Amino acid sequence: TREVQLTPPEDVLLRRLIAQASFTAITTWNYKTEDGSDAKVSPLDVNSPRRTQQQGNVLIRYLQGEYVGVKGAQIRSRGGEAGMVVREFSGGGGVIELDEAA
């Protein structure tokens, strides 16, 4: 991975979504009585789950792309590979990172 200069959008063609990563929050519940001792909870009681999970938002997307147009022609004329993987981070960062020659 290396930093690249910003390229006009018309020089980059994103072909397809390769993968995406997200998170899952898992909570383990411990029930106590009023005196602070562990409460006996039936594992079949749906109102008192032992563990719950909540799916989070997608945080990272990986997209396959390539340089096209003048930029792509310049890269290929020097024997380079115009393909790339774009890693897009969501969640306010707005950072896009390119892995070239993918």
Side-chain angles (χ1 to χ4, degrees):
T1 302
R2 66 182 179 94
E3 287 187 35
V4 295
Q5 293 178 342
L6 290 178
T7 301
E10 59 269 12
D11 286 347
V12 176
L13 175 64
L14 299 177
R15 296 217 173 263
R16 68 184 178 101
L17 176 68
I18 299 171
Q20 58 189 22
S22 61
F23 69 93
T24 301
I26 298 175
T27 304
T28 301
W29 298 93
N30 295 316
Y31 297 95
K32 303 283 184 181
T33 61
E34 289 185 14
D35 66 2
S37 62
D38 289 337
K40 303 244 188 241
V41 179
S42 168
L44 302 176
D45 183 2
V46 295
N47 295 320
S48 303
R50 293 254 184 225
R51 183 173 289 159
T52 57
Q53 73 180 42
Q54 180 180 3
Q55 185 65 35
N57 295 331
V58 173
L59 296 177
I60 303 172
R61 294 189 322 159
Y62 296 90
L63 301 117
Q64 178 187 26
E66 67 178 285
Y67 286 109
V68 294
V70 174
K71 180 78 170 176
Q74 289 172 342
I75 293 169
R76 284 188 292 278
S77 71
R78 293 190 301 256
E81 174 60 49
M84 69 176 74
V85 173
V86 177
R87 187 171 21 186
E88 176 188 49
F89 298 89
S90 64
V95 176
I96 295 180
E97 187 173 299
L98 302 175
D99 290 330
E100 294 187 41

